[in-house]
Amino acid sequence: MVDERVLTVPGSYKEIRRICEFVAAGAAQAGFDETTIFHLELCCDEASTNIIEHAYGEEGVGNIVIRYRLSDDDFTIVMQDNGQAFDPGAVPPPPAIAKNEASAEELTSQLRIGGLGLHFIRNLMDEVHFTSDRRQGNQLIMIKKLNAS
Amino acid sequence: MAESIVNIYVEDLKRVELVRVSGRIDSSNAAQFDGVLKEVVSRKNNVVLEMSEVDYISSAGLRAMIALLRECKKHKGDVRLATPSERVVEVLSLAGLDSLFEVYDSEATAVGSF
């Protein structure tokens, strides 16, 4: 069983809800529970935001193509754009702030460094790959196993 | 097309600004959320965010909350959460920021904590 769907939307923040709903429908079909569907929505939201802000630099510059593929073993989401190459692997994880006495300076540092979205993607997906070439543009491939514990 | 909707109601109490937030906070409306929080912090440095009806929040929403906390801390104030939804708690935990905000199980106790 292999089912594949594709959605193309303008690179705009207001499209994020549509992207999430598209992926959530596929994830529900795959049989994921509500929490996992939320995780997949969150990853696609964060990836889309990164495409708009880092690959394209702003809204309205190019399209985002979202493709998901449901196989017997996994649910694969591919997010594609034609902006600047942006390698998620090059971004370090954000520093954890493990106390509520964090100073204003620590919070400023947290805001400046960013990378929270990528941190979510790395932690919530089973596999994450990034490829970039002239023909296909940038591709972020996120895989969730169907039977992961 | 469904767009993300966030509803924000602000109550200016004696010692605290109470902000009731509901709906979905993502990159499409985080600037709106951030704008309201900036207005709030211009009035008082102690803020309660009531977030029981927030059914979705991304890192964009979280950044607005962190920016609010930073501004409050700069002026010796604080931001406390009342009855955050499961999604809010989970996203804070995923970010490693779950101990950044004091959490209360009712709006009244959160407001009364200041």
Side-chain angles (χ1 to χ4, degrees):
Chain A
M1 175 191 67
V2 175
D3 186 16
E4 184 167 321
R5 300 285 161 92
V6 183
L7 173 72
T8 301
V9 298
S12 167
Y13 293 130
K14 70 177 184 184
E15 299 292 342
I16 285 176
R17 179 79 184 267
R18 182 146 68 124
I19 293 168
C20 288
E21 288 178 348
F22 171 72
V23 171
Q29 187 192 344
F32 288 119
D33 61 26
E34 200 176 295
T35 300
T36 307
I37 293 172
F38 165 64
H39 291 166
L40 294 170
E41 282 191 62
L42 187 60
C43 289
C44 291
D45 175 335
E46 302 292 353
S48 303
T49 300
N50 281 340
I51 288 170
I52 294 167
E53 294 181 356
H54 300 290
Y56 288 133
E58 59 182 326
E59 289 186 280
V61 173
N63 287 339
I64 302 174
V65 181
I66 307 97
R67 179 179 287 107
Y68 69 73
R69 187 174 61 247
L70 173 59
S71 72
D72 291 336
D73 301 319
D74 52 42
F75 185 71
T76 301
I77 303 166
V78 181
M79 314 256 330
Q80 190 177 1
D81 67 81
N82 290 300
Q84 295 279 325
F86 171 68
D87 184 356
V91 179
I97 296 180
K99 57 187 188 301
N100 59 19
E101 291 82 14
S103 67
E105 289 72 26
E106 282 177 281
L107 296 167
T108 301
S109 160
Q110 179 84 18
L111 285 168
R112 192 184 302 124
I113 290 168
L116 269 179
L118 285 173
H119 177 69
F120 291 167
I121 293 169
R122 288 191 191 112
N123 281 278
L124 294 173
M125 301 302 295
D126 293 314
E127 289 180 38
V128 180
H129 308 283
F130 180 80
T131 64
S132 182
D133 66 52
R134 283 190 183 171
R135 194 172 58 85
Q136 292 194 306
N138 303 316
Q139 289 198 105
L140 178 68
I141 301 159
M142 303 183 285
I143 300 173
K144 193 76 178 171
K145 303 284 184 195
L146 292 183
N147 298 312
S149 55
Chain B
M1 182 183 67
E3 289 187 24
S4 301
I5 304 292
V6 60
N7 298 302
I8 309 167
Y9 299 97
V10 180
E11 206 170 326
D12 187 7
L13 302 176
K14 195 174 177 183
R15 291 194 304 269
V16 181
E17 290 280 314
L18 171 61
V19 184
R20 296 190 183 96
V21 195
S22 64
R24 181 180 176 100
I25 312 169
D26 62 25
S27 299
S28 71
N29 57 25
Q32 179 194 348
F33 182 44
D34 188 52
V36 172
L37 298 182
K38 281 190 167 62
E39 280 179 33
V40 162
V41 80
S42 72
R43 289 192 293 269
K44 287 194 183 71
N45 304 316
N46 290 325
V47 179
V48 169
L49 294 178
E50 199 286 327
M51 305 185 83
S52 62
E53 300 295 321
V54 173
D55 46 41
Y56 182 95
I57 185 166
S58 71
S59 68
L62 211 52
R63 289 172 67 83
M65 291 170 64
I66 297 168
L68 171 71
L69 181 62
R70 176 184 60 180
E71 292 309 307
C72 288
K73 293 258 182 184
K74 272 185 190 170
H75 302 97
K76 311 292 181 200
D78 199 10
V79 179
R80 293 172 187 170
L81 306 186
T83 58
S85 68
E86 192 183 328
R87 296 299 183 226
V88 172
V89 171
E90 184 175 12
V91 169
L92 279 167
S93 172
L94 280 170
L97 300 174
D98 40 343
S99 58
L100 199 55
F101 299 93
E102 282 183 29
V103 175
Y104 293 83
D105 58 8
S106 77
E107 193 178 281
T109 53
V111 169
S113 71
F114 283 104

